[in-house]
Every structure is written in structure tokens, then in C-alpha cells.
Amino acid sequence: IVTYSIGVGLALEAVEKLAAEGIEAEVLDLRTLRPLDKAAVLEIPAVKTVTEASADAARNAERAGDWLIASELFGRLNLLFEEDARYKADSKRLGDRLVMIRLYNPERLQALRNERRKDEGLKPLPAFNMTGEDFETRLAGIDEITVLRAIRAAGQSHVEQVPMRRIVSGGLDSIRTLVTTHDLDSTFPGIASKDALAKFLASVDELQQRINGGKELSIEGAADVLELLLNASADSVNIPKNALLHEFGNGAFDKLDEFSSIIWPDEVLRFKRMTEGSFKGVGIQIQNDEESQLIKVIAPLEGSPAQKAGVLAGDLLKKINDKSAVGMTTDQAVEQITGATNTIVRLTVERAGEDREFTLVRTTLKLPSVRGFSRTGNKDTDWNYFIDESNGIGYIRVSGFSEATTRDVRTAIGQLRSKGLKGLIFDLRYNPGGLLDEAVRISNLFINEGVIVYTESAGQVRGRTESAEEGRAVLKNIPVVVLINETSASASEIVSGAIRHYADKGEVNAIVLGNRSYGKGSVQIVNALSGGERPTQAKLTTQYYYLPGGQLIHRREKAKTWGVEPHLRVEMI
């Protein structure tokens, strides 16, 4: 556990100390990742010594501005002590620093990464490609009214009813993180002045004390704090208003939960792509290639414009619309390649040392969510759904819940039953969720009648209840193994949790196998905060999901139980 979470170097020091205390058995258990009582391991004196030393090292790295080391250490400590969340705020703060550098000074982040790569003997990254990365352009359209609308919605609608005082305090915390990240000095020269920075931080501290010392804050009070903050900045460090508003809004929503956020204008289209189960583009899967340090095509989607034009797996992306793609991140490339249907994008790729150019017309592409055990052809539907046809054992993997998921699962079941289905492996590992209606319909394939899931909002007010419809459980007499792991989330937890409930009652012939699921059992609503060409939205958690037996799926702060527990737990390295 310590080796995995802290890192090999520090863990080896722990091994020596453990051995010196005569507890070599624990050392061997740790190094082979054998399942242990994690809490007991963390109480071993030498382990406590090493984790405390790691925390000190992380704090020292942060003070020295070594953000990458500090982030890695705090991140691993947070994983190690995730249940009591003692390092959660530290990990989040360092993550925020890196995100801020990525937004406001991406070339510096590239330099920091190259310093680390040099230490590790790796090839340096190319110069950062600034295409589409000007923060002033990305933050255009952000104003005080939009941010205050977001904060008001958070105070009114969030399931935990977080006090306005705490929400606004989070905004101030984020501003403090912004101005104390010295790698932003070149972007915001005002924070390089010790006097100006000290003056501004004193104003932030004064606002924080005002919030904490007074009565509960109203939205009018929040507006006053924001106005005073903007005035204090103008009078000292002079951070651009849109940057201050952006970080204040992000920090305010950090006090809600990890699934609530402001969707800023430059993020709206990306968010839409993630939630629709389709996207407008040319149909290529890409990733950064470490060897060539270019973006590589992993595969063109069957039937896509890229596939029809002759783009192949392994092609290296050199240009997008005649702009160099060297040094781009995959996010940058996606932003440049995707766009409105029936518009043109030109890609230049390198293949076997030669450049080839493709002029492609963007179209709407659906993302398949249902897969079998092995491919039988190139189409998305060309799957062998048997893992052991001689014994009638089928395999269906669902990677998400989109509009076509139930239809495609039914098609797969039809193929299996026509060839003598006797048992099914239903794989929900790495499934992040999706549409609730589809999760209910999938559950109904196994469950003949009864509640599948229900919701509660603030104050335990019962909301929507979803139940199975009789006659739709086409798998009710088939033995099923449902596979889940720690990344199975949301809709996949509803399905696996409902199946487990009715299996425990003897109404479904199933077992759930794997590891405890993620614990994302919450409902988010998306509200428009502003319109026009650059709209802003607020995504807010307003309800929690409960399984038929009353179990809360969601992992709340410092919770000991969450998600769906498998009948049989399998620890995976």
C-alpha cells in the first residue's frame, strides 16, 4: 500500500525501517500488494514515520514552488488516507495550481514537465503549441453577474444546502492560491511585487474574517465581497477581471462537491460532447505518442469521414488546417478537429516518413457503448458475444449508457439466445454512467418487478422513483455475473446495485463480482447562466440516488461506506 501510494524511493526507506523493527512479514505483504487491513498498516510506527516525512516533503516542495513533486506526493497521500480526507485539501490546492499554470502560463508548465523528464532520463517535450490557448480569448464573456447567478443557484439548489458563507469563502481561497503561484508572475506582473501582493493578501484576509465573523451571508453580501475583491485587486496586483472571476467562481463551487461546477463559455461545447453520446467531427481516436512526441491516430471509427478518406491507425498528426500540431495536447487537437456538421477540416499526417493531406467534412458521429468478447469485423456491431460458445456463456460489455444502449444490448442478447445462451457475464467495469432512463431499462432486463432506484433532495424529500415493468426481464432465468470495479460509477452503480438487491432476495440469479464501485450516486441539473454566442452554465448536484433497500450510493465527505459492494471481492493490481 505504501509503495503504491507514496512511491518506490520513499517506500524503500520504509522497508528498511520496518525490517529494523523486526516485522519483515508486513514488508513482504506490502510489496506483493496482498490484501491487508489498510488501517492497521497505517498505524505501524515506521509507516507513520514515512507518511509523515512524505507530508513534510510535500509541504517543503510547495514552499519551494516545486509544484509537480508537491502535487504527486499530496495526491498519493490523499489516496492513502482517502477515508479521513486529511490530505484532500492539499491535493486539491496543488492540482489547482497546476491547472492555473496550464491556463495562464502553459509554456512554463511545459518547462516544469521537461525538468522532471530530464531528471528521469526521458526525451524532452517539444515547445508548447499555443494554438487556441490565449487565456484572454478563452475567458471572454465572463462577468460579475454570471458568477453571482452561479453562486445564488448553488446556495439555493445544492442537495447539501451549503451555506453561502462557505461558498464565498471557497472563492477567496482560490484567489489566494492564484496569487501565491509564483510561476504566474510573468502573466500577472502585479503578484511579482512583494508590497502589492502583501497588500492584496491582507485585503483577502480581511474579507475572509468579515465573512467568518458575521451572520450568514446573503447573495447581496456575496456581491459586496466580490466587488471589494475586484477593487482590492485593481488597487494592488491588478489581476485581469475575467481571470479573478473565473478562479473565484471555480473556488466557490469547490465547496459544493466534485460533480458541481461552472461550465465556462470555452467549455460548453466540450461538455455537450461528453453528455450526448455523440460528437461532431471526422471520427478519429487520438493520443500523444511518447516516441515521436506527435499526436498519433489510434484508430479511425468505422464509416467515419476519416476512415473513408484513408486515414489509418499509426498516422502522426503534423498539421490541422495548416497550423502546426507539434506540441499540441490531445485536448487542443480535439478542439481544432471537431466543429459544426458539414464544415471542412484539413489534416496533414505523416505516414512512413511522408506527409499526406486529407480534406474532411465533419459529421455527427455516434459513440458505441456495447461490445462483445472478440471482433468479427470492422463495424461497431461486428462482435462475437460468446466467451465460451460450447458451454453457452455469453459476454456483454457496456462502457456507458447512451440513447442506443438498451437497443444494442437487446440485439446482443437476441444473438446469444438464438445460439443457446446458458449464462452471461455482464461487464460494467470502467463504466462512468450516462442516462438514467437507459440504466433503468437495462436493469429491467434482469429484474421483473420492483423499485430499481429512487432519489431524495435536500431535507430527505423523496423525489423520483423508477421501477421495473413486468414482462421485460428477458434475462430473469439466466445465471449472470456482473463485473464492477472502483471506476464503475453513476448509472452503472444503479444497475449493479439493483441487481445485487434482488439477487440477495432470491429474485434474480446473479452475483456481483469485482471491487467496490466508485460512489457517484447523485443527480446533476444544468442551468443556463448567460446566453448569446458565449453561454455559461452551472452544473449542480440537487439529489442523491438510493437503491431499493435504502442504501445511498453516493460517497459523501469522510464516509466509510459508499457505492455497491460486490458479493465476491477481487483485488486487482
Side-chain angles (χ1 to χ4, degrees):
I1 294 169
V2 174
T3 303
Y4 177 76
S5 299
I6 301 300
V8 174
L10 286 170
L12 287 176
E13 293 178 25
V15 166
E16 293 173 3
K17 293 176 181 179
L18 288 166
E21 295 184 22
I23 42 179
E24 294 186 10
E26 283 84 352
V27 177
L28 293 173
D29 285 343
L30 288 170
R31 296 191 66 168
T32 57
L33 292 180
R34 208 178 95 190
L36 293 170
D37 180 347
K38 185 175 177 181
V41 170
L42 296 177
E43 289 302 313
I44 296 172
V47 173
K48 292 178 74 172
T49 298
V50 119
T51 53
E52 289 166 5
S54 300
D56 288 340
R59 294 186 189 99
N60 290 335
E62 183 174 11
R63 280 192 286 269
D66 196 343
W67 317 120
L68 290 174
I69 286 288
S71 177
E72 287 177 22
L73 284 172
F74 276 135
R76 293 172 181 184
L77 285 163
N78 185 43
L79 287 174
L80 198 59
F81 294 92
E82 61 179 343
E83 290 192 3
D84 67 12
R86 72 179 69 175
Y87 295 105
K88 183 177 181 180
D90 295 311
S91 180
K92 181 67 173 66
R93 183 180 63 257
L94 265 299
D96 287 346
R97 289 193 193 278
L98 292 173
V99 169
M100 290 172 182
I101 298 172
R102 172 69 180 80
L103 175 59
Y104 299 113
N105 192 0
E107 292 173 297
R108 177 55 184 157
L109 182 60
Q110 193 86 326
L112 291 171
R113 292 178 62 203
N114 272 331
E115 289 171 16
R116 288 298 311 281
R117 292 177 67 86
K118 182 180 178 181
D119 291 341
E120 296 169 7
L122 299 174
K123 186 178 178 181
L125 299 168
F128 188 81
N129 190 318
M130 286 296 294
T131 302
E133 292 301 300
D134 174 58
F135 83 86
E136 291 281 3
T137 301
R138 291 182 63 182
L139 303 190
I142 298 174
D143 56 35
E144 298 100 309
I145 293 175
T146 300
V147 173
L148 287 170
R149 283 174 179 166
I151 290 172
R152 180 172 59 190
Q156 292 174 342
S157 304
H158 193 264
V159 64
E160 295 284 358
Q161 294 291 280
V162 180
M164 184 67 69
R165 174 187 295 145
R166 188 171 178 221
I167 295 171
V168 174
S169 178
L172 294 176
D173 288 342
S174 181
I175 295 302
R176 188 178 286 104
T177 299
L178 175 72
V179 299
T180 57
T181 303
H182 64 70
D183 277 306
L184 300 178
D185 290 3
S186 59
T187 307
F188 308 129
I191 66 176
S193 165
K194 290 184 177 179
D195 291 341
L197 179 60
K199 182 178 180 180
F200 181 66
L201 287 174
S203 298
V204 174
D205 289 341
E206 184 179 333
L207 288 172
Q208 197 75 269
Q209 292 167 8
R210 172 178 168 178
I211 293 170
N212 295 335
K215 60 184 180 179
E216 177 49 40
L217 208 62
S218 64
I219 188 61
E220 291 77 18
D224 290 342
V225 170
L226 187 54
E227 182 179 1
L228 290 169
L229 179 72
L230 294 171
N231 290 339
S233 170
D235 194 38
S236 54
V237 291
N238 200 28
I239 303 290
K241 182 188 286 188
N242 56 1
L244 271 179
L245 292 170
H246 184 265
E247 302 313 325
F248 185 88
N250 284 343
F253 268 59
D254 282 345
K255 293 299 181 182
L256 303 177
D257 68 284
E258 62 181 301
F259 305 108
S260 295
S261 63
I262 299 176
I263 307 168
W264 301 105
D266 69 308
E267 300 167 341
V268 170
L269 288 177
R270 197 178 313 133
F271 176 74
K272 191 175 181 182
R273 284 199 301 268
M274 289 171 58
T275 55
E276 284 186 339
S278 64
F279 65 95
K280 296 175 177 64
V282 297
I284 53 172
Q285 295 172 290
I286 58 174
Q287 72 176 28
N288 284 109
D289 183 60
E290 286 288 324
E291 182 63 30
S292 67
Q293 299 195 350
L294 293 170
I295 291 172
K296 180 168 70 174
V297 176
I298 299 304
L301 298 181
E302 173 66 24
S304 67
Q307 192 256 353
K308 291 176 180 177
V311 177
L312 300 178
D315 285 350
L316 300 171
L317 201 56
K318 298 285 288 294
K319 293 180 182 179
I320 304 171
N321 285 332
D322 301 324
K323 295 179 182 177
S324 173
V326 178
M328 277 190 183
T329 64
T330 52
D331 282 345
Q332 284 177 284
V334 168
E335 290 296 320
Q336 299 298 312
I337 294 170
T338 57
T341 301
N342 295 325
T343 58
I344 289 175
V345 60
R346 290 185 303 280
L347 303 182
T348 302
V349 305
E350 180 184 314
R351 183 188 303 165
E354 295 183 3
D355 287 354
R356 299 168 184 254
E357 186 171 301
F358 297 92
T359 300
L360 307 173
V361 179
R362 298 180 178 107
T363 188
T364 300
L365 297 150
K366 294 289 184 181
L367 300 175
S369 62
V370 178
R371 296 170 171 83
F373 185 67
S374 59
R375 286 279 190 182
T376 59
N378 293 325
K379 295 181 180 178
D380 294 331
T381 54
D382 290 343
W383 288 102
N384 174 16
Y385 293 103
F386 277 108
I387 192 169
D388 181 356
E389 188 167 358
S390 63
N391 287 299
I393 309 300
Y395 173 92
I396 297 174
R397 177 187 170 203
V398 176
S399 59
F401 292 87
S402 60
E403 293 174 353
T405 300
T406 304
R407 181 200 68 194
D408 292 346
V409 169
R410 281 185 168 275
T411 298
I413 292 169
Q415 292 181 26
L416 289 167
R417 293 182 74 181
S418 69
K419 297 180 180 180
L421 177 66
K422 296 177 181 176
L424 178 67
I425 298 168
F426 194 65
D427 195 346
L428 295 175
R429 293 173 300 172
Y430 306 102
N431 182 319
L435 300 177
L436 173 63
D437 290 346
E438 289 296 306
V440 171
R441 293 186 186 106
I442 292 291
S443 300
N444 205 167
L445 299 176
F446 304 87
I447 300 161
N448 193 49
E449 60 179 327
V451 172
I452 290 172
V453 68
Y454 65 90
T455 63
E456 285 185 1
S457 54
Q460 296 184 311
V461 177
R462 184 76 172 251
R464 183 175 173 181
T465 298
E466 299 288 350
S467 299
E469 295 181 31
E470 287 191 57
R472 295 180 179 270
V474 295
L475 294 169
K476 66 178 180 179
N477 296 320
I478 299 291
V480 175
V481 174
V482 180
L483 301 182
I484 62 171
N485 65 6
E486 59 276 7
T487 61
S488 303
S490 192
S492 61
E493 294 179 281
I494 291 171
V495 175
S496 57
I499 291 173
R500 164 150 196 171
H501 174 79
Y502 289 102
D504 291 344
K505 293 179 67 176
E507 297 177 20
V508 174
N509 187 6
I511 63 167
V512 180
L513 175 69
N515 217 328
R516 177 170 58 179
S517 63
Y518 183 83
K520 197 278 182 185
S522 55
V523 181
Q524 282 75 45
I525 60 169
V526 178
N527 292 323
L529 300 173
S530 65
E533 292 183 2
R534 294 186 61 79
T536 305
Q537 299 172 339
K539 178 162 67 86
L540 280 166
T541 298
T542 58
Q543 294 178 310
Y544 287 139
Y545 286 124
Y546 289 82
L547 295 172
Q551 306 99 313
L552 172 64
I553 295 173
H554 200 71
R555 182 180 186 178
R556 299 175 78 176
E557 188 78 15
K558 298 185 180 180
K560 300 294 183 184
T561 60
W562 64 83
V564 178
E565 279 285 355
H567 291 104
L568 296 175
R569 183 175 271 213
V570 178
E571 299 284 350
M572 297 293 290
I573 296 177

